[in-house]
Amino acid sequence: MSILVILRRYPLTLLCVLLVFYLSFFRPPSLGDNEVEGLDKLAHFLMYGGMCCVLWYEYARAHARLKPRAVALWAVCAPIALSGVVELLQEALTSYRGGEWADFAANSLGVLSAAAVGYFFIWPRFKMGK
């Protein structure tokens, strides 16, 4: 698949990936002592879950049938791998962010949850009219 085809079929997904990269590397404002326990992990879960739900939507819009291997690779394995790379880069390249296993777990759970939502809700509802 060429770059132009990917840009045409998955523009929102690519914007989400860029947004996730931005949010992963910008210096967040300090919340001081009012930091809510687990809010960071919820943000990780929602970022990756949201990105992958958009990916499922655009996949359903662009394809007539579900290709399990392609979906497993691009909608599950690739985002989880991307998440791991981002965590490693945060640890290596920034002084204000750190790579955490708990963040990686939250990211992965977001991806896996989006896969369930995509498979059971987005794909069937999008294909009902066809």
Side-chain angles (χ1 to χ4, degrees), residues 9 47 71 88 122:
R9 287 186 182 175
M47 278 192 323
V71 168
L88 291 171
I122 296 172

Side-chain angles (χ1 to χ4, degrees), residues 22-78:
Y22 173 75
L23 292 173
S24 297
F25 290 101
F26 88 111
R27 184 183 296 264
S30 175
L31 297 176
D33 293 335
N34 297 328
E35 190 169 318
V36 177
E37 185 71 30
L39 185 62
D40 174 50
K41 305 311 174 241
L42 178 62
H44 281 264
F45 176 85
L46 293 174
M47 278 192 323
Y48 280 84
M51 176 181 69
C52 289
C53 281
V54 171
L55 173 59
W56 269 92
Y57 171 79
E58 289 189 320
Y59 180 87
R61 186 184 62 179
H63 299 301
R65 59 187 185 92
L66 186 71
K67 298 176 184 172
R69 282 191 189 157
V71 168
L73 177 64
W74 296 109
V76 178
C77 295

